[in-house]
């Protein structure tokens, strides 16, 4: 099949998932065309059957706010027409699904691709609640040929927040770990570690990720010499630097910004820590699971679909830093338990959230909508 994929190209779960899906589809013999304002950062070059089409956005003085949706939809229509795409797959509804619907409408009926929209999280939970976006998202979902959500939680939220009553197929995320470029010892040396347990957090640092709670939690972990925390920041960490200092964590926290070789750090880490107020899935937890690393996370959103509490990680019911710190302390003190949870996490990731499990679900969906 010929599939167009539109996603955010920068560091972020939806873009990572969309890029991995495109790569896997090409391996299965499909032709895949990425359409976005920048090349997705993980998209490999020189792969036969894998194309990237940039969307050019001109900056006109007459607009107070530059518009991306229209040039995107024009490019989607152009690529659909020129390459005879079967499917346009929009990852993250805003504005990608709306642009896809518009692109389809620009084409003659016999040249129109099917539109598949995958909801990733804040497109429903945040923007879906915004009266300036909600009706447009509802419209795009209603006019999509198929809608998927990355968790059962997100499916239920989409029905209730947007009042969307059409079918939504739950297709969980998957992750394909790349082999690390450096050894565990090399990375731990780079991080200045000795025998400490390495805690790991990776996110875009937006308020919803509760970096305040993350820092507060590690400040309460005792003994403090037992751990260090590496934060892989997909955003600017500067606003948190003062809090790190005030909490006396300067020698406990290592920040790496815009890291692309996350596998190096995942294999060097021992335990993930995630404090978000909401997550539709939390791809970062899955990334750690693929390396046999368990996580401590709050029992929110779709996270219980990823981690089975006390089996493949630990879920904490509150947003209390002490409760989170106690869960971390128990696992720092018990390497055997950490290892058992990590092994179970890896098995669960392979069984439920691997490319082999998930990619055929998308292929079947494409075939169904094209029938
Ligand atoms: O976390 C974000 O706000 C970024 C966002 C994205 O679109 O990149 O992440 C969402 O999609 C990811 C991939 O499906 C999920 O793993 C994240 O849980 C989800 N974020 C939220 O629901 C807050």
């Amino acid at each position: 099949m010929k599939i167009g994929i539109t996603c955010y190209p920068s560091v972020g779960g939806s873009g990572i998932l969309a890029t991995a899906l495109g790569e896997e589809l090409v391996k299965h013999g499909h032709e895949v065309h990425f359409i976005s304002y920048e090349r997705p950062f993980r998209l490999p070059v020189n792969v036969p059957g894998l194309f990237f089409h940039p969307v050019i956005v001109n900056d006109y003085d007459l607009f107070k706010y530059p518009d991306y949706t229209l040039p995107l939809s024009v490019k989607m229509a152009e690529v659909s027409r020129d390459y005879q795409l079967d499917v346009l797959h929009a990852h993250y509804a805003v504005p990608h699904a709306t642009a896809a619907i518009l692109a389809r409408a620009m084409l003659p009926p016999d040249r129109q691709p099917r539109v598949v929209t995958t909801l990733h999280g804040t497109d429903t939970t945040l923007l879906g609640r915004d009266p300036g976006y909600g009706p447009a998202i509802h419209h795009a979902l209603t006019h999509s040929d198929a809608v998927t959500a990355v968790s059962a939680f997100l499916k239920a939220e989409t029905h209730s927040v947007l009042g969307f009553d059409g079918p939504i197929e739950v297709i969980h995320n998957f992750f394909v770990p790349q082999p690390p470029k450096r050894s565990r010892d090399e990375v731990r040396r780079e991080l200045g570690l000795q025998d400490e347990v390495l805690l790991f957090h990776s996110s875009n640092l937006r308020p919803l990720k509760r970096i305040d709670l993350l820092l507060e939690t590690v400040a309460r972990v005792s003994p403090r010499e037992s751990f260090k925390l590496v934060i892989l920041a997909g955003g600017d960490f500067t606003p948190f630097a003062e809090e790190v200092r005030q909490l006396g964590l300067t020698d406990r926290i290592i920040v790496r910004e815009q890291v692309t070789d996350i596998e190096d750090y995942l294999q060097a880490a021992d335990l993930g820590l995630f404090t978000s107020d909401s997550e539709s899935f939390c791809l970062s937890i899955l990334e750690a699971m693929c390396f046999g690393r368990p996580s401590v996370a709050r029992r929110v959103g779709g996270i219980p679909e990823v981690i089975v509490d006390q089996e493949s990680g630990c879920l904490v019911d509150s947003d209390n830093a002490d409760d989170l710190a106690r869960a971390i302390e128990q696992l720092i003190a018990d390497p055997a338990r950490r290892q058992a949870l990590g092994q179970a996490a890896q098995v669960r990731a392979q069984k439920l959230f691997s490319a082999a499990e998930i990619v055929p679900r998308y292929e079947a969906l494409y075939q169904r909508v094209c029938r």
Side-chain angles (χ1 to χ4, degrees):
M1 298 181 88
K2 295 183 177 188
I3 300 140
I5 294 184
T6 289
C7 63
Y8 283 108
S10 51
V11 183
S14 57
I16 292 172
L17 188 278
T19 307
L21 176 60
E23 278 187 73
E24 293 299 316
L25 289 169
V26 167
K27 286 185 202 157
H28 289 206
H30 303 287
E31 186 176 300
V32 177
H33 296 259
F34 277 84
I35 306 162
S36 188
Y37 57 87
E38 259 168 29
R39 192 180 180 87
F41 79 108
R42 286 198 186 176
L43 193 67
V45 285
N46 298 328
V47 175
L50 188 57
F51 302 88
F52 169 62
H53 306 271
V55 179
I56 310 297
V57 182
N58 291 319
D59 196 4
Y60 291 104
D61 294 345
L62 72 164
F63 295 142
K64 184 169 174 192
Y65 306 106
D67 170 62
Y68 175 55
T69 311
L70 292 181
L72 173 62
S73 65
V74 169
K75 181 56 83 177
M76 284 170 135
E78 206 177 283
V79 175
S80 299
R81 185 197 58 219
D82 294 351
Y83 295 89
Q84 294 169 20
L85 297 187
D86 299 298
V87 172
L88 275 175
H89 191 167
H91 284 266
Y92 202 94
V94 181
H96 305 145
T98 300
I101 300 298
L102 187 53
R104 188 181 59 190
M106 284 181 215
L107 294 164
D110 59 332
R111 305 294 287 275
Q112 292 181 347
R114 299 291 188 264
V115 173
V116 173
T117 297
T118 291
L119 295 161
H120 278 272
T122 44
D123 38 4
T124 284
T125 56
L126 178 71
L127 300 175
R129 290 192 163 87
D130 183 333
Y133 284 97
I137 300 170
H138 186 281
H139 174 271
L141 299 184
T142 307
H143 289 84
S144 294
D145 295 289
V147 178
T148 79
V150 299
S151 61
F153 159 80
L154 187 58
K155 171 179 172 167
E157 281 290 284
T158 305
H159 286 312
S160 84
V161 170
L162 284 154
F164 173 68
D165 56 10
I168 301 178
E169 183 168 342
V170 175
I171 304 184
H172 285 123
N173 285 330
F174 68 95
F175 181 66
V176 183
Q178 301 300 317
K181 295 195 182 77
R182 293 178 288 162
S183 71
R184 176 174 162 97
D185 284 350
E186 271 177 278
V187 181
R188 288 180 68 93
R189 256 198 311 279
E190 175 218 306
L191 298 174
L193 293 165
Q194 284 164 358
D195 296 333
E196 300 96 334
V197 165
L198 182 61
L199 307 180
F200 160 89
H201 175 88
S202 141
S203 75
N204 52 31
L205 313 180
R206 289 197 198 117
L208 184 124
K209 306 291 174 181
R210 294 294 308 277
I211 302 303
D212 59 326
L213 180 57
L214 179 86
L215 299 177
E216 191 67 39
T217 297
V218 294
R220 294 178 194 208
V221 170
S222 162
R224 62 192 305 286
E225 299 72 31
S226 62
F227 77 92
K228 280 195 179 176
L229 166 68
V230 64
I231 299 179
L232 302 187
D236 179 14
F237 192 77
T238 327
F240 304 103
E242 180 56 21
E243 198 175 340
V244 169
R245 205 188 54 75
Q246 279 176 8
L247 289 168
L249 289 170
T250 314
D251 63 341
R252 297 293 101 194
I253 292 190
I254 308 154
V255 179
R256 293 285 182 269
E257 287 182 355
Q258 307 300 340
V259 166
T260 46
D261 46 356
I262 55 156
E263 285 83 2
D264 287 12
Y265 293 94
L266 286 170
Q267 67 154 356
D270 300 294
L271 184 58
L273 175 57
F274 297 91
T275 46
S276 298
D277 277 339
S278 177
E279 285 291 344
S280 64
F281 186 92
C282 199
L283 198 57
S284 300
I285 292 178
L286 175 58
E287 290 170 345
M289 288 167 76
C290 289
F291 279 84
R293 308 295 186 257
S295 290
V296 169
R298 290 173 59 196
R299 193 192 298 273
V300 292
I303 291 180
E305 294 170 53
V306 184
I307 294 177
V308 178
D309 188 26
Q310 304 307 323
E311 219 176 278
S312 46
C314 293
L315 298 177
V316 174
D317 283 312
S318 77
D319 62 351
N320 181 296
D322 281 320
D323 294 344
L324 286 155
R326 295 301 82 80
I328 290 284
E329 278 170 5
Q330 279 169 18
L331 290 177
I332 287 178
D334 191 346
R337 174 114 185 97
R338 229 165 47 225
Q339 202 185 351
L341 291 174
Q343 270 168 7
Q346 195 170 32
V347 169
R348 183 172 170 78
Q350 280 159 359
K351 199 164 151 211
L352 296 180
F353 311 123
S354 64
E357 188 61 34
I358 300 298
V359 178
R361 304 256 331 259
Y362 280 114
E363 287 177 289
L365 178 69
Y366 297 154
Q367 273 154 12
R368 208 166 63 230
V369 294
C370 287
R371 221 171 274 148

